[in-house]
Amino acid sequence: MGDDAVILSGVESDTAAASFYSTVHGAGRVMSRTEARGKTNRKTGAVIKPGRINHDEMQAWLRQKGVHLAGGDLDEAPQAYRRLPDVLAHHAGTVTIEHTLRPFAVVMAGADVFDPFKD
């Protein structure tokens, strides 16, 4: 959420062949959703285990990048994901960056919305 995105094309190389021409489809998480947002009792709202990311940290990161967020929750915070330059460096020699997309707004379901894909 809020990091750059890239459109890639594969390249023919020994490195690409060794990886079976497989490449990234996302940066990948560095912590689980629960680790990022923590765990609360759904009925009472009581915090069972605090998360590693707090709301102010997430908002500060997005502000620094110039990204407006509508909705979203701490489990999707930028801090919960690998950084794109590191991921691309790992895949050097297998892809070419065709376009870099810089987000200015992100719209997601809010923390209070049931999401059947993660809840």
Side-chain angles (χ1 to χ4, degrees):
M1 155 199 331
D3 213 350
D4 290 351
V6 290
I7 298 173
L8 306 172
S9 61
V11 298
E12 183 62 50
S13 69
D14 291 341
T15 306
S19 69
F20 301 107
Y21 301 97
S22 177
T23 192
V24 297
H25 67 274
R29 301 186 73 86
V30 294
M31 66 183 80
S32 70
R33 293 181 184 283
T34 302
E35 190 178 0
R37 81 171 166 253
K39 188 153 181 75
T40 57
N41 183 308
R42 288 184 188 227
K43 292 181 181 177
T44 66
V47 175
I48 297 169
K49 182 178 179 182
R52 289 183 48 198
I53 301 170
N54 72 47
H55 184 266
D56 292 343
E57 290 171 346
M58 179 179 75
Q59 290 298 325
W61 193 96
L62 292 169
R63 266 194 313 278
Q64 188 269 333
K65 288 281 197 172
V67 176
H68 176 75
L69 172 65
D73 196 6
L74 297 174
D75 63 328
E76 287 292 333
Q79 296 92 329
Y81 288 88
R82 289 180 180 86
R83 300 285 49 95
L84 181 61
D86 298 335
V87 173
L88 293 173
H90 183 76
H91 289 270
T94 65
V95 295
T96 299
I97 299 172
E98 299 291 339
H99 300 283
T100 299
L101 308 169
R102 178 148 297 139
F104 59 89
V106 176
V107 179
M108 302 176 83
D112 59 337
V113 176
F114 177 79
D115 182 342
F117 297 103
K118 67 179 187 178
D119 291 324

